[in-house]
Amino acid sequence: MSLSAKAAVSVLHFIKRLGLFPKPGDIDCEISKARIYNQKNPYKEPSDHKALYSTDHIKGYPVLVIRQNESSPKKALLFLHGGGNKDTWKPEVSIARRYGKQTGADVFYPIYPPFTEAPVAVTIEFIYEVYKAVENKYGAGNIAVVGGSYGGFLAMQLITWINRNGNAVNMPRLLIMNSPFAFPETKEEWALAREYEKADLMVPEGSFRLMMDGVMRADPQTPDYALYPDKMDFHRAPETYIFYAEEACACVSDVIQKAYRRDGAVLHMHKEPGMMHCYACVPVFPESKRDFNKQIELIAMMDS
């Protein structure tokens, strides 16, 4: 590990040992806090002039479109930000913009409802409709999907939704996921999640159970194929690249790999020792720059 990464990891370990990371409360308290956050942070189109911004609306929800100039690129990125419980759209706009700048692609950034505002099935149906609109304009062979954390969860659901809807749309050309979240299913997987939470530098202990409680509170009938990788459908999935650190979300990494093999899909998974959640989409350390640049190269290869 690079010296700069070691220094950052040491600080995070120190903060966690001091108990300074906020611990989740009960589900009612967390839903209340999330809704207050959502009310204070409504979507507003960026005005920083760092790109050309516009906003579409699909199924009543905004979709931020990020372009670098007036020209019309032949490829597009569907960027699915993280969060899940809160409408944390704002912090990752700069990340999505960087992907667009480095690849020259138009970026579509859905402002999806968190599970504190709508059931998971409603959210993924919205993501599916956004993808349909992008596919209609650019063609599936010119689309890459990039999802981080909860956005990776939505990306895996998108593949499942495309399969469940038959031949309505084609699969994207490429799927990249940074530290994708998904729910454990078996007792063994839940035990692994609890162990990984203890060592995770950013995810508080109890986060997986809290997320599950919130999702099921929103819709007790949420289907298994919207929750667990083993129940998702990865047939015909595009070539997929996953970048994990040593983190809690990696508790489902083996399940994802097995599900891809079961469905005959191609998956490349990398686990970087010692790094933190979503390290590969924020090019700060040598390790993160290396793996971010690899993602950019993969998207650039779509032109060939």
Side-chain angles (χ1 to χ4, degrees):
M1 188 190 303
S2 63
L3 291 176
S4 56
K6 284 182 179 179
V9 167
S10 296
V11 170
L12 291 171
H13 274 302
F14 181 70
I15 292 173
K16 185 159 188 174
R17 284 198 302 270
L18 291 179
L20 298 181
F21 284 132
K23 295 182 179 180
D26 64 71
I27 188 60
D28 292 313
C29 176
E30 293 302 319
I31 289 176
S32 177
K33 288 194 295 186
R35 287 177 174 168
I36 292 172
Y37 175 94
N38 297 340
Q39 291 170 2
K40 290 182 177 179
N41 295 275
Y43 172 70
K44 184 179 180 181
E45 188 175 290
S47 57
D48 55 28
H49 304 294
K50 294 180 180 179
L52 299 178
Y53 300 109
S54 61
T55 303
D56 295 334
H57 285 82
I58 295 178
K59 293 183 76 69
Y61 296 107
V63 180
L64 174 63
V65 183
I66 306 172
R67 305 181 68 189
Q68 299 307 308
N69 49 56
E70 295 290 352
S71 64
S72 299
K74 295 181 179 180
K75 60 177 178 281
L77 292 179
L78 177 60
F79 188 96
L80 305 175
H81 68 82
N85 61 327
K86 297 177 182 177
D87 192 8
T88 54
W89 65 271
K90 190 181 297 183
E92 293 186 44
V93 169
S94 62
I95 299 175
R97 187 175 62 238
R98 184 184 291 116
Y99 274 94
K101 183 177 181 179
Q102 294 291 327
T103 63
D106 286 345
V107 179
F108 291 80
Y109 191 94
I111 313 301
Y112 62 83
F115 63 71
T116 50
E117 305 293 341
V120 167
V122 171
T123 297
I124 189 54
E125 189 65 30
F126 163 57
I127 299 297
Y128 175 73
E129 291 298 326
V130 174
Y131 176 77
K132 282 176 61 178
V134 178
E135 195 257 0
N136 184 59
K137 182 175 181 179
Y138 295 84
N142 299 310
I143 300 172
V145 178
V146 177
S149 193
Y150 195 85
F153 182 49
L154 295 175
M156 290 187 285
Q157 292 172 330
L158 173 61
I159 301 303
T160 299
W161 250 248
I162 292 173
N163 276 322
R164 291 183 65 82
N165 282 280
N167 297 317
V169 293
N170 294 310
M171 287 288 176
R173 174 81 170 271
L174 177 68
L175 172 57
I176 296 171
M177 293 184 282
N178 293 295
S179 300
F181 168 88
F183 287 108
E185 182 179 11
T186 66
K187 291 181 179 179
E188 293 76 16
E189 290 167 21
W190 275 104
L192 189 61
R194 290 191 293 271
E195 286 301 311
Y196 278 32
E197 283 177 336
K198 293 177 183 177
D200 195 293
L201 296 173
M202 300 175 69
V203 176
E205 293 181 45
S207 295
F208 276 80
R209 179 54 63 186
L210 176 76
M211 297 281 278
M212 176 62 85
D213 290 347
V215 166
M216 300 311 291
R217 175 74 64 88
D219 180 10
Q221 303 304 314
T222 300
D224 285 354
Y225 58 79
L227 299 172
Y228 310 118
D230 182 62
K231 299 299 188 293
M232 295 179 183
D233 188 345
F234 298 116
H235 289 95
R236 304 188 301 125
E239 190 162 7
T240 300
Y241 292 79
I242 294 179
F243 298 85
Y244 273 122
E246 292 181 340
E247 56 176 319
C249 284
C251 71
V252 293
S253 61
D254 289 346
V255 182
I256 296 172
Q257 286 182 308
K258 290 177 182 177
Y260 261 74
R261 286 197 297 268
R262 176 199 66 205
D263 294 341
V266 178
L267 171 64
H268 310 273
M269 184 176 292
H270 176 74
K271 297 180 182 179
E272 185 65 22
M275 295 300 287
M276 64 287 292
H277 185 63
C278 283
Y279 80 96
C281 61
V282 183
V284 175
F285 311 112
E287 297 89 342
S288 56
K289 290 178 181 178
R290 177 199 67 210
D291 290 341
F292 175 78
N293 289 336
K294 180 174 182 179
Q295 296 178 36
I296 298 302
E297 291 171 4
L298 289 167
I299 297 167
M301 288 170 61
M302 288 169 50
D303 292 333
S304 59

